[in-house]
Amino acid sequence: MKNIIIFDTNAYRNFVAGKCLTQIKEDICVIKKEEQRIGYEAFMSTTVGEELLSHMKDDYESRSFKSCIKAIQAIYWHCGDENEFRLAPLPETQLAKEFFNVINKKSCHVQQVVGQILYQIAKAPTIDTIKKYDSEIQQVVDYINDAESSLADNIELLMRNIDPAYSDWTLFKNDDGNRKKWIEFVRSDNFKLQTALAMIVALSYDLESQGISLHIIEEKMLKKQAEDYMLRYAAPLELRKYWMEKLVGHFDLTKQSRSNFIWDERILHQAGHTINNTPIVIVTSDNAMKECAEKANPNCEIITYDCYIQRLGL
């Protein structure tokens, strides 16, 4: 059976661990040969590409820089060659077409720019190449930092608004009744509907800001689109529910890279879906992603890196 394969960031970082650049390219050729044998083909996640590129602004001697410059070599040659690269759409691209039947020009441009920079660094993984794209890479860094900061700020504002006694990233401390109500709300369909509606409305505003004309959107239509989103994209909503439940404990989104959940949610927009009718398999060792995807859709396939390598017989 044919499958499209999408590795998450840590899958590529696991793959390159302890390898030099030459070995990485050789091993990717082996993986691609085995994938071709069983009908698999790797597609690049732009979100993963952005995460890897953001570390090109780290200290050149840092572990994160060294790991990610090697992972860039892996993701590009796994998903492309000298002539082209295969790309899974960003959620904004995917949802604009699916719900509004328009081309999201901004997100399509981001996809192409990220892919092109990955190609240039994969082809010549040097400091000079990275410096050549310093401006574009800085934009990626700013985008990631702003998104994570905005998520943390907005969630903390929400917590302050609903809990007068809120402090230190703990919601309804010593208030068992409201803690229980919060958990019940987060587990409800209403929570998922509101989250989906916020996603659809934000997308419509972004499209209109690009000068893309949308049909008049009535409230009834938006609700129907949000309900459709709930059905089609249950996996990212399940992950959102997973970490929102944790707010009743001490769950500081500014610590321990917890805001990274936002990127995992974006990757999970591919879970259980197809590209040109070919099913997508996500490769990740993130337990929360795997558990949430399988809970939302038992038929979606999401496996660990080690299991994937074993499947290829390597």
Side-chain angles (χ1 to χ4, degrees):
M1 180 180 178
K2 290 186 176 181
N3 284 115
I4 285 170
I5 308 302
I6 296 176
F7 276 34
D8 79 345
T9 306
N10 286 331
Y12 278 117
R13 293 185 71 169
N14 287 342
F15 169 77
V16 303
K19 298 178 182 178
C20 66
L21 293 175
T22 301
Q23 187 65 47
I24 288 166
K25 198 166 182 180
E26 290 176 357
D27 288 353
I28 281 292
C29 288
V30 173
I31 284 179
K32 289 175 73 171
K33 182 178 179 180
E34 292 306 307
E35 287 174 337
Q36 187 176 27
R37 178 180 61 81
I38 58 178
Y40 288 5
E41 192 169 44
F43 274 56
M44 182 190 304
S45 163
T46 304
T47 297
V48 173
E50 289 172 323
E51 287 191 274
L52 295 175
L53 283 176
S54 72
H55 289 289
M56 296 301 94
K57 297 292 287 187
D58 294 354
D59 184 279
Y60 297 152
E61 295 301 318
S62 68
R63 180 179 178 183
S64 58
F65 175 85
K66 291 178 179 179
S67 171
C68 289
I69 196 170
K70 292 194 292 185
I72 286 173
Q73 181 97 346
I75 189 175
Y76 188 82
W77 298 121
H78 190 204
C79 305
D81 55 31
E82 293 283 355
N83 301 311
E84 61 182 5
F85 54 88
R86 297 174 299 279
L87 190 70
L90 284 167
E92 295 87 347
T93 305
Q94 194 170 324
L95 299 175
K97 186 64 177 175
E98 190 169 340
F99 289 104
F100 299 106
N101 196 31
V102 297
I103 303 298
N104 190 326
K105 295 177 288 187
K106 184 169 71 175
S107 61
C108 286
H109 176 69
V110 169
Q111 291 171 180
Q112 289 302 313
V113 169
V114 169
Q116 289 294 340
I117 298 174
L118 291 173
Y119 167 62
Q120 295 298 334
I121 296 176
K123 186 173 64 170
T126 65
I127 302 303
D128 286 343
T129 305
I130 292 165
K131 287 181 177 179
K132 181 178 179 181
Y133 295 97
D134 181 76
S135 176
E136 290 86 351
I137 293 171
Q138 186 60 55
Q139 289 180 51
V140 171
V141 172
D142 292 343
Y143 163 69
I144 286 179
N145 289 342
D146 289 349
E148 292 182 355
S149 177
S150 294
L151 176 66
D153 289 347
N154 289 333
I155 293 299
E156 188 167 31
L157 179 61
L158 168 68
M159 295 166 79
R160 292 185 186 280
N161 286 338
I162 65 177
D163 179 10
Y166 162 81
S167 66
D168 194 25
W169 286 95
T170 304
L171 190 62
F172 302 123
K173 188 176 183 179
N174 302 320
D175 186 347
D176 291 342
N178 277 321
R179 285 162 65 94
K180 182 179 179 182
K181 288 180 181 178
W182 173 255
I183 295 294
E184 289 174 348
F185 167 65
V186 171
R187 292 176 179 175
S188 71
D189 284 344
N190 188 33
F191 168 76
K192 292 180 180 178
L193 181 63
Q194 289 187 30
T195 305
L197 187 60
M199 171 72 80
I200 297 297
V201 171
L203 176 61
S204 70
Y205 286 163
D206 183 57
L207 292 171
E208 289 175 342
S209 74
Q210 297 178 48
I212 298 173
S213 178
L214 302 177
H215 296 297
I216 296 175
I217 304 173
E218 299 178 353
E219 185 176 338
K220 185 184 294 187
M221 177 182 173
L222 283 173
K223 184 179 179 184
K224 176 63 169 60
Q225 289 177 322
E227 290 170 345
D228 288 344
Y229 179 95
M230 285 173 60
L231 292 173
R232 301 176 199 174
Y233 297 98
L237 286 175
E238 190 66 32
L239 185 60
R240 175 64 61 107
K241 184 196 82 170
Y242 168 85
W243 65 260
M244 290 285 276
E245 285 186 27
K246 294 182 177 294
L247 296 177
V248 294
H250 181 71
F251 194 69
D252 187 343
L253 284 173
T254 67
K255 305 294 184 183
Q256 299 177 13
S257 301
R258 283 175 176 154
S259 289
N260 279 351
F261 277 119
I262 193 173
W263 312 117
D264 295 339
E265 287 179 12
R266 292 170 69 78
I267 294 169
L268 282 185
H269 276 78
Q270 303 293 346
H273 287 264
T274 66
I275 295 177
N276 296 327
N277 295 319
T278 303
I280 295 170
V281 176
I282 295 177
V283 179
T284 177
S285 296
D286 186 285
N287 290 330
M289 287 178 68
K290 186 170 172 28
E291 289 171 10
C292 290
E294 291 174 344
K295 183 176 181 180
N297 180 2
N299 295 319
C300 80
E301 194 166 10
I302 180 164
I303 63 175
T304 67
Y305 168 77
D306 289 340
C307 287
Y308 183 65
I309 294 301
Q310 290 175 12
R311 181 178 294 187
L312 296 181
L314 299 174

